Amino acid sequence: MSSRQHARWMRRALRLAARGRGWVSPNPMVGAVIVKGGRVVAEGYHRRVGGPHAEGLALGVARGVARGATLYVNLEPCCHHGHTPPCTEALIAAGLARVVAACVDPDPRAQGRGVRQLREAGIEVEVGLLEAEARRLNEAYFKRLGTGFPFVSLKAAMSLDGKIATAAGESRWITGEKARAWGHRLRASHDVVLTGVATVLADDPELTVRLVRGRTPLRVVVDSKARTPARARLLTADDRPPVVAVTEQAPGARRRRLEQAGASMWVMPSREGRVDLEALMKRLVAAGSQSVLLEGGGRLAASALAAGLVDRVYFLIAPMLIGGAGAPTPVDGTGVGRLAEAWRLSSVRVRRVGEEVLITGDLGAEGKSCSPD
């Protein structure tokens, strides 16, 4: 079989895996394709946490046809017990002749053990086909296991002259319907949507997924002094209670009022009088999250950038001019003193979303630690 054909089957596995986006975290997205005689005989993908793995689903479809076949999978099959039995045992029992995996699983329980187990059973194993694409698909999973921090995306919508609202605070709606629907899809693909109390006070957002099919992520408000109103819409907009992250400086009466209104209160360490963002990110990982979408104002964005926490930015630019020296911008704070210190993007992509232009780019993890309110 040609290398082009091998890549074709792996790309099919990657496309299948991507269907689990927003539903399987903190597990990785995994797709599996079983090929025999040059044709696909079965396939499957991991659909939800606690549910069957992609390999098991594909084997269930293939049944006896899997004997002597090749499995294409975007991540090393697991060899440990979790919600499901080890996939390696099922693959060995099915009599597969070959397994082609895009990359090794960074989970400490795996890290090549699954590959070795398959080889010891006489199954030919190849690792590395379309590895870069596979790692990018599960970049949040790889970052969490490699660093202990979640993958953080910063999203902002602004006018052509870089304003996220008028000087009077009006921001609905800078972008059109298609761009807003795209924003809800982006929200649904993350485990957490994080905003600052200033945005809650100004816009009273729900932070739910409404315009598209998808799961509403955990909603978190960075609110050092517990200024979130007890009647804020996000407190009642979803069955899953939002988190309000405060510091010890937050008055007890305000904390109790928010708890009574339905919020889950997290008392976090402070840095310069505000919630320590690094500590908050680690707490989110400990709670089972591995991807965070920042949808706050300029102050939250500036603090997250300065702390070196942002991995990717999504900036939507609308074809309008707002003007005004006092109109807010997507990145606030003091900014950088020299252009050499600016946050520069790599892997920049540009495309249209309705009438808006979307610019996406990646950042390195550099910067000083500080925190927003």
Side-chain angles (χ1 to χ4, degrees):
M1 191 179 296
S2 69
S3 58
R4 180 178 296 180
Q5 192 77 321
H6 280 303
R8 175 187 172 190
W9 300 136
M10 186 60 77
R11 287 197 175 90
R12 184 162 179 162
L14 287 165
R15 287 195 298 271
L16 283 167
R19 295 182 185 178
R21 188 182 301 279
W23 298 101
V24 302
S25 181
N27 291 349
M29 292 174 276
V30 180
V33 176
I34 298 177
V35 177
K36 189 173 185 180
R39 66 183 184 89
V40 174
V41 296
E43 60 188 25
Y45 70 95
H46 187 36
R47 297 170 181 265
R48 59 180 177 81
V49 176
H53 287 189
E55 300 94 323
L57 288 169
L59 288 174
V61 174
R63 298 178 182 267
V65 181
R67 185 164 297 277
T70 296
L71 170 73
Y72 291 85
V73 63
N74 61 293
L75 192 70
E76 172 189 12
C78 69
C79 59
H80 53 272
H81 285 270
H83 291 292
T84 62
C87 290
T88 51
E89 293 181 2
L91 296 174
I92 293 168
L96 283 165
R98 189 179 185 210
V99 171
V100 181
C103 55
V104 169
D105 188 345
D107 188 318
R109 296 170 295 180
Q111 295 182 334
R113 293 183 180 88
V115 170
R116 288 196 296 273
Q117 192 175 104
L118 293 172
R119 285 174 175 161
E120 288 168 0
I123 296 175
E124 181 185 349
V125 181
E126 175 187 340
V127 181
L129 179 63
L130 302 186
E131 181 175 3
E133 291 93 327
R135 290 179 66 91
R136 184 174 180 85
L137 175 69
N138 279 307
E139 57 197 353
Y141 177 73
F142 276 88
K143 185 183 179 188
R144 172 177 66 84
L145 289 174
T147 69
F149 282 90
F151 190 92
V152 180
S153 301
L154 169 62
K155 178 242 177 184
M158 71 198 79
S159 62
L160 189 59
D161 56 338
K163 309 296 184 181
I164 60 174
T166 67
E170 183 183 356
S171 61
R172 294 182 180 176
W173 294 105
I174 287 178
T175 55
E177 291 184 7
K178 289 184 179 179
R180 293 201 297 276
W182 171 86
H184 279 253
R185 285 193 295 273
L186 182 67
R187 190 180 287 176
S189 71
H190 286 75
D191 299 329
V192 176
V193 57
L194 182 72
T195 195
V197 67
T199 298
V200 174
L201 294 172
D203 299 335
D204 194 18
E206 293 184 3
L207 300 180
T208 54
V209 172
R210 302 182 300 281
L211 303 182
V212 298
R213 178 183 175 273
R215 178 190 64 171
T216 291
L218 175 66
R219 296 161 302 139
V220 180
V221 181
V222 181
D223 184 5
S224 301
K225 298 179 181 178
R227 293 188 293 147
T228 298
R231 293 187 178 182
R233 293 196 299 168
L234 63 85
L235 294 173
T236 57
D238 189 72
D239 293 337
R240 188 181 186 184
V243 168
V244 179
V246 301
T247 67
E248 290 286 0
Q249 299 174 3
R254 292 183 186 174
R255 292 191 224 171
R256 290 189 293 273
R257 179 196 64 204
L258 287 171
E259 285 180 322
Q260 292 169 358
S264 177
M265 305 299 297
W266 287 6
V267 180
M268 301 301 303
S270 64
R271 188 186 293 268
E272 297 179 357
R274 302 190 180 104
V275 170
D276 185 331
L277 278 184
E278 289 186 10
L280 177 58
M281 294 300 173
K282 290 181 179 178
R283 174 82 180 263
L284 288 169
V285 165
S289 299
Q290 61 187 11
S291 60
V292 176
L293 179 63
L294 301 184
E295 283 197 59
R299 191 171 183 179
L300 176 65
S303 295
L305 286 165
L309 296 172
V310 179
D311 297 287
R312 180 164 299 143
V313 299
Y314 296 91
F315 276 19
L316 279 163
I317 302 174
M320 68 168 67
L321 300 171
I322 292 177
T329 61
V331 181
D332 204 341
T334 57
V336 299
R338 299 182 301 117
L339 288 178
E341 300 170 343
W343 296 282
R344 293 191 178 273
L345 306 182
S346 61
S347 303
V348 176
R349 285 86 71 197
V350 181
R351 69 182 179 94
R352 289 281 295 274
V353 181
E355 294 298 313
E356 281 68 50
V357 174
L358 171 65
I359 299 178
T360 307
D362 297 341
L363 289 168
E366 298 176 355
K368 299 178 181 179
S369 297
C370 58
S371 185
D373 202 8

